[in-house]
Every structure is written in C-alpha cells, then in structure tokens.
Amino acid sequence: MKRLVAAAVAALTLAMPAAAEVSLRDTAALKAFLASGTPCCVIDARNAAKRLSAPLADTLPYRKDLKINPTGIVVVIADTDARAIEVGKALERASKAKDIYAVKGGERAWRAATGAAASGMPSGFIIPKNTCESGTAIQQY
C-alpha cells in the first residue's frame, strides 16, 4: 500500500508543472545567459518617464493586468532590484513562465549585458530665433 501511495505521489509530482522561479541576475549572469540563448520576452517595469526618456529596444512595458504566455525565460527590468522581483513574482502568478530573471542593477546592467548604448536622443533642445541673431530663443524644450 505504501508503495502504491508513493508511486501515486511521484506520478502527480512529475505531472504537475514546475513552479516558476524568480531570481536576481547580475550583468555577468545575464551575459552568460544571452550568449547561450535569448529570452522569450523582456518586460520593462521602469517608470513611464524613464521608459520614454531612455527606451529599451524589443521590450514590453509592464502593467498590472499584463498577460503573457511565455515559451522560455522572462527577463524583468525595473528601477530597483526589489521592484524587478516584485514584478517577476506577479508575472509568475499570472503566467506559466518557467523561469523569470530579475535584472540586478536595472537598465544600466541590461545595457551592459546586451551591449545596447543609451539613447542618443538629447533630454532637451533649443530652437534658436535665428542663427545670426542674438536674443531669446523662439522655443526651448
């Protein structure tokens, strides 16, 4: 009887999908991962102002009702490590993700791991009144 129960428990354990694991990954770990494969999706959980001023290519902006159906490892980039883990756990509950990597160090670590340069867009610019005239500018952004 004990063998039958043990076999049933083992069969159920193998049949159940493994729970996702949210882990904090630094630049070196991300570089190693990216050298061997690619994430199925990269979630940008930074605040809206940072997403606009320094966009990250090929990312999906995070929102509370975000539903994903990941086919591989999910990467979460946030303003703080704690926020990346928090978002990772929320995605873990809402999806069937196998593993979720929270980026330790946020945007800076992600750019270092991927070799992506920061946006070349200036944070502001001035439209001069006339390049030959002195005085106040027409508009300043």
Side-chain angles (χ1 to χ4, degrees):
M1 182 70 169
K2 287 184 181 181
R3 285 185 186 172
L4 183 61
V5 171
V9 168
L12 285 174
T13 302
L14 292 174
M16 293 174 62
E21 180 183 325
V22 178
S23 57
L24 198 57
R25 302 292 174 119
D26 63 8
T27 303
L30 289 168
K31 280 183 180 181
F33 163 65
L34 293 170
S36 65
T38 56
C40 76
C41 51
V42 180
I43 308 299
D44 188 349
R46 298 175 301 149
N47 69 51
K50 285 187 182 177
R51 284 196 310 259
L52 287 173
S53 67
L56 296 170
D58 302 320
T59 61
L60 183 63
Y62 177 73
R63 61 183 189 281
K64 286 187 179 190
D65 61 344
L66 180 66
K67 301 287 185 210
I68 59 173
N69 189 14
T71 57
I73 294 173
V74 176
V75 175
V76 178
I77 304 163
D79 295 322
T80 65
D81 296 345
R83 175 72 175 150
I85 291 171
E86 176 188 326
V87 169
K89 289 184 179 196
L91 290 170
E92 174 186 28
R93 289 187 298 272
S95 73
K96 297 176 185 174
K98 293 179 183 168
D99 284 313
I100 299 171
Y101 292 175
V103 177
K104 181 178 183 179
E107 174 192 348
R108 183 176 295 149
W110 180 251
R111 288 192 190 280
T114 60
S119 171
M121 294 295 295
S123 60
F125 61 93
I126 297 173
I127 299 174
K129 185 173 183 181
N130 188 330
T131 55
C132 296
E133 294 179 19
S134 60
T136 60
I138 296 172
Q139 286 184 313
Q140 184 171 339
Y141 294 95

